[in-house]
Amino acid sequence: MANESNLPEAGKPSGAVVEPVVDPGTAYQPDVDIVENGDSMVLYIDLPGVAAGGTQIEADENNILTLKARNSFREPDGMIVRQAAIGDYFRAFQLGSEYDRGRISATLKDGVLAIHIPKREEAKTRRIEIRT
Amino acid sequence: MLWDTLVFNDLDEMRRDMEALADWGGLRTPVGAGFPALNAYESKDEYVLAVMAPGIAKDKLDIRLDENSITISGNRPLPAEESPDRRYLRHERGHGPFERTLRFPAKVNRESIQARLENGILSIRVPKSEEAKPKNIEIKA
């Protein structure tokens, strides 16, 4: 799923934005709930340990949504029980063509990333009222 | 493809659980109580628990410390209720009420426990009691 075109272009100044360096090969796959209504869909993704600014979300021309997240939780030494995968996260989603990649918004709160993806105007559910 | 990944995750988790119990018979957790997932760490002075609690507010978490055990309980609500207009296309995250109890293999100091919730991880530091800490024995010449 790694998409080369998502990487910053060589020679292009990246400005003050520090891109999270996440290796999709070793990153963990986070759990997701996807909720859809007639107008949009919301992806709720568990990213325990990821702080504000630690995520990178991209949607390319093929409507592939890619999430990379950098974990800032420092695990102590001396692990005796391991049930949770704490580390960097990577996941990619193929969006349907009815979704508008140009108007995606996202919020990160308490380790949960919510990505809001609206449908294109023409793809939204229309309610037809019945006239009496 | 997703199915394969999930199966491997489950197997891997099972193996890790078994290894954790085989390597170290101390911090026991009841079978099947896997939510929320947690990691535990031990140093000579303290135990540290890292409980995965993304999306859970501080006031929805409860920590109770008994003589030699700790109980973490709470509730994680669904992000949105299902309705005729709203449906789940995918549901992987755990939710609902939970309670987990862990027993410490050594005596702990209940007075100086510290808990902190940051970016969806609840970290609990539980110092060992003085008598449980390893002692260095000095060899006299």
Side-chain angles (χ1 to χ4, degrees), chain B residues 56-105:
Chain B
I56 307 178
K58 210 162 70 173
D59 59 4
K60 291 278 188 299
L61 279 166
D62 188 58
I63 303 167
R64 210 172 60 235
L65 201 60
D66 294 323
E67 199 169 2
N68 269 321
S69 69
I70 189 167
T71 301
I72 300 141
S73 56
N75 193 357
R76 181 158 113 144
L78 277 169
E81 290 299 326
E82 191 142 36
S83 70
D85 295 331
R86 198 192 281 141
R87 63 197 179 106
Y88 276 82
L89 301 179
R90 197 168 276 265
H91 199 143
E92 299 172 358
R93 302 156 75 228
H95 73 275
F98 58 84
E99 180 175 290
R100 296 197 68 176
T101 299
L102 298 127
R103 195 160 46 239
F104 296 107

Side-chain angles (χ1 to χ4, degrees), chain A residues 31-37 44 46 49 73 75-76 78-84 86 91 110-112 127, chain B residues 16-17 38-42 52 54-55 76 79 85-93 100 119-120 123:
Chain A
D31 289 339
V32 63
D33 285 349
I34 304 179
V35 184
E36 188 245 18
N37 65 31
Y44 297 94
D46 279 347
F73 182 78
E75 281 191 280
M79 183 183 282
I80 49 176
V81 175
R82 184 184 190 269
Q83 297 169 341
I86 304 177
R91 194 149 181 186
D110 300 331
V112 178
R127 278 195 190 282
Chain B
R16 284 198 307 259
D17 280 353
L38 61 82
N39 288 355
Y41 314 84
E42 181 183 15
M52 300 306 103
R76 181 158 113 144
D85 295 331
R86 198 192 281 141
R87 63 197 179 106
Y88 276 82
L89 301 179
R90 197 168 276 265
H91 199 143
E92 299 172 358
R93 302 156 75 228
R100 296 197 68 176
N119 299 324
S123 316

Side-chain angles (χ1 to χ4, degrees), chain A residues 35-55:
Chain A
V35 184
E36 188 245 18
N37 65 31
D39 293 341
S40 62
M41 124 178 118
V42 186
L43 279 59
Y44 297 94
I45 306 174
D46 279 347
L47 301 176
V50 176
T55 57

Side-chain angles (χ1 to χ4, degrees), chain A residues 32-127:
Chain A
V32 63
D33 285 349
I34 304 179
V35 184
E36 188 245 18
N37 65 31
D39 293 341
S40 62
M41 124 178 118
V42 186
L43 279 59
Y44 297 94
I45 306 174
D46 279 347
L47 301 176
V50 176
T55 57
Q56 183 187 337
I57 305 157
E58 286 172 349
D60 70 9
E61 67 278 13
N62 298 316
N63 249 12
I64 291 172
L65 180 78
T66 316
L67 161 71
K68 294 174 183 174
R70 192 110 181 99
N71 206 312
S72 50
F73 182 78
R74 298 273 308 150
E75 281 191 280
D77 291 331
M79 183 183 282
I80 49 176
V81 175
R82 184 184 190 269
Q83 297 169 341
I86 304 177
D88 294 339
Y89 303 103
F90 174 85
R91 194 149 181 186
F93 304 87
Q94 174 71 65
L95 305 180
S97 58
E98 67 269 36
Y99 290 97
D100 187 350
R101 74 179 173 112
R103 293 190 296 135
I104 296 175
S105 60
T107 54
L108 178 67
K109 189 173 182 287
D110 300 331
V112 178
L113 179 72
I115 307 178
H116 188 264
I117 310 166
K119 283 188 181 173
R120 292 176 200 285
E121 271 318 309
E122 63 272 22
K124 285 184 179 174
T125 306
R126 288 207 173 80
R127 278 195 190 282

